Amino acid sequence: MKWISLVLVTLLGMLQYRLWFGKHSIPDYWQMKEEAQQMAMQNANLVQRNNLLKADIQDLKLGLEAIEERARNELGLIKEGETFYRILPSKAPNQ
């Protein structure tokens, strides 16, 4: 009877060791769960960015307004007959 108890306690100890410190243990599970949450958040951000890019591409395909807006904002282009005014912020004295 003593041997059976000793064998069972030893097996329980081995299983507990493997559960907490072995390969695929509970701390490994927690770490993988956290990594999966971070990846899911990154994926959601990338999906949102892709949707914005798709909408931008669709706008560029459909109309000239988007192309004109992009040319004005990114390249600083103006239409023929327009006058470009640049307003500089006033400088405060002693700065």
Side-chain angles (χ1 to χ4, degrees):
M1 190 68 158
K2 214 178 206 185
W3 288 100
I4 293 175
S5 297
L6 183 63
V7 169
L8 290 176
V9 168
T10 304
L11 285 174
L12 179 66
M14 288 171 48
L15 289 173
Q16 285 295 314
Y17 177 81
R18 186 166 179 202
L19 178 68
W20 290 102
F21 303 110
K23 187 176 181 182
H24 305 299
S25 62
I26 290 178
D28 288 344
Y29 167 76
W30 291 335
Q31 182 181 2
M32 287 184 162
K33 187 175 179 181
E34 184 177 325
E35 289 175 7
Q37 288 175 346
Q38 289 174 354
M39 286 182 184
M41 188 176 292
Q42 288 175 349
N43 286 344
N45 290 338
L46 291 174
V47 166
Q48 182 180 9
R49 187 192 78 182
N50 286 345
N51 289 338
L52 290 174
L53 289 174
K54 286 178 186 177
D56 197 20
I57 289 170
Q58 193 66 24
D59 284 346
L60 291 173
K61 285 182 179 179
L62 291 179
L64 295 175
E65 291 95 18
I67 295 171
E68 181 180 338
E69 178 184 348
R70 187 165 268 201
R72 287 176 180 268
N73 290 337
E74 294 179 8
L75 302 174
L77 300 178
I78 58 172
K79 285 183 178 179
E80 190 174 320
E82 288 183 337
T83 306
F84 177 74
Y85 293 98
R86 182 174 181 187
I87 300 173
L88 298 174
S90 62
K91 293 183 180 181
N94 297 333
Q95 282 191 358

